[in-house]
Amino acid sequence: MKLSTKGRYGLTAMFDLAINYGRGPIPLKSIADRQNISEHYLEQLIMILRKAGLVKSVRGAQGGYMLAKKPSEITVGDVLRALEGPIGLVDCVLEQDPVECDKAENCIMRLVWEKIRDSIIQAVDSITLQDMCDEAEKRKASQESYMYYI
Amino acid sequence: MKLSTKGRYGLTAMFDLAINYGRGPIPLKSIADRQNISEHYLEQLIMILRKAGLVKSVRGAQGGYMLAKKPSEITVGDVLRALEGPIGLVDCVLEQDPVECDKAENCIMRLVWEKIRDSIIQAVDSITLQDMCDEAEKRKASQESYMYYI
DNA sequence: CAGAAAACCAACTAAAACGATAGGAATTAA
DNA sequence: TTAATTCCTATCGTTTTAGTTGGTTTTCTG
């Protein structure tokens, strides 16, 4: 029941972009360095995020990536869905294209998986990148030595 | 972010045992047949559940397995924890023995993972095997042709 | 007492997923 | 023109998953 590094690294990168929102395109290398992630691997992840419309890119020198929307308009759920696929611990209750199960309507197990899925959805959709930035600001204010993102 | 078959098959088997609670030891073969799971594979899973104290066994002919506690005293969370390990989508926020993270206290990501973890915990700990049996009974009452468990 | 039913146990394995790495082509600012 | 940067495709070693194989031991029943 673990997230892969896709989800972890991807959200980390998105948070980095959110912190740097409004400062023009951010080169991937700088994100990779700050967050200590392989640049080449991160590249694959950000490509997915770009295709999902969460990030836009500027090619060439001085290029980089930036959020495609305001941090307040991107939720943790948006990012995780893009990278990890539709939410749901079990295929038969995925948000999108659930795998049909012959036993179908009267499945008690299904109720359980749905309840868990819904509680995850509720959590991930209730947190925006802006919320995370706000929290970072709050901590920055209350502490001398501070590390932005991790 | 998927459950492995351990969690799925394991909960299915536990539900089967809950439905048959009070009827003496249930041979694994009958569970495997009803639920259409490889008997040998299920054997490995039920061993884990036994070691976790959720199931007890009776050896020899006419032997089998039964719940070690009343269905009302076993939650979905108990079963999933035994089979899938401590709950948490990310190692640094596992319920048990979270992996230390150097960046530590000021990690904003951590807040996110904790919130998701807690919502999953809330969901899985709020459902008991008895709840599932009750739901099965309710459906049985309201329908002619009924399939117990799946 | 023999035989069958069942739990118990250890080792192996094919396939998939994971977490990258390698190497280059295309684009663009300076 | 050159350096910075995105974009793209392929490959690869390791780990995990989802079993399978082949037994041993225990215990009920006839």
Side-chain angles (χ1 to χ4, degrees), chain A residues 116-137:
Chain A
I116 299 172
R117 176 200 62 193
D118 290 343
S119 79
I120 297 174
I121 289 177
Q122 198 283 322
V124 297
D125 285 346
S126 71
I127 310 172
T128 69
L129 294 180
Q130 185 63 55
D131 295 333
M132 295 172 69
C133 292
D134 290 348
E135 186 63 33
E137 269 307 311

Side-chain angles (χ1 to χ4, degrees), chain B residues 54-80:
Chain B
L54 296 173
V55 149
K56 55 188 180 183
S57 63
V58 176
R59 299 190 66 167
Q62 265 54 274
Y65 294 90
M66 51 187 116
L67 296 184
K69 305 185 241 181
K70 284 186 283 184
S72 61
E73 291 170 343
I74 299 177
T75 68
V76 170
D78 295 333
V79 178
L80 294 187

Side-chain angles (χ1 to χ4, degrees), chain A residues 11-146:
Chain A
L11 186 59
T12 300
M14 289 296 278
F15 180 37
D16 193 304
L17 288 178
I19 290 281
N20 289 295
Y21 188 65
R23 297 186 196 166
I26 309 294
L28 201 60
K29 175 148 180 36
S30 75
I31 303 178
D33 287 349
R34 271 194 295 276
Q35 309 302 341
N36 203 38
I37 302 172
S38 146
E39 185 188 348
H40 248 46
Y41 186 46
L42 193 53
E43 192 179 290
Q44 292 171 43
L45 307 186
I46 206 129
M47 238 19 117
I48 297 171
L49 292 166
R50 186 173 62 82
K51 280 165 189 162
L54 296 174
V55 148
K56 54 187 179 184
S57 63
V58 176
R59 298 190 68 169
Q62 264 56 272
Y65 295 91
M66 51 188 118
L67 296 185
K69 304 184 240 182
K70 284 187 281 184
S72 62
E73 290 170 344
I74 300 177
T75 68
V76 170
D78 294 332
V79 178
L80 294 185
R81 282 183 187 94
L83 292 164
E84 303 270 343
I87 289 171
L89 291 187
V90 165
D91 282 340
C92 69
V93 300
L94 291 181
E95 294 173 296
Q96 308 274 320
D97 313 313
V99 172
E100 285 300 329
C101 158
D102 43 338
K103 337 258 175 106
E105 302 93 68
N106 280 307
C107 182
I108 310 291
M109 300 291 289
R110 189 195 191 83
L111 285 183
V112 175
W113 307 136
E114 283 172 346
K115 187 163 177 180
I116 299 172
R117 176 200 62 193
D118 290 343
S119 79
I120 297 174
I121 289 177
Q122 198 283 322
V124 297
D125 285 346
S126 71
I127 310 172
T128 69
L129 294 180
Q130 185 63 55
D131 295 333
M132 295 172 69
C133 292
D134 290 348
E135 186 63 33
E137 269 307 311
K138 206 169 16 172
R139 295 189 180 200
K140 187 184 189 178
S142 69
Q143 283 200 216
E144 191 57 43
S145 101
Y146 171 76

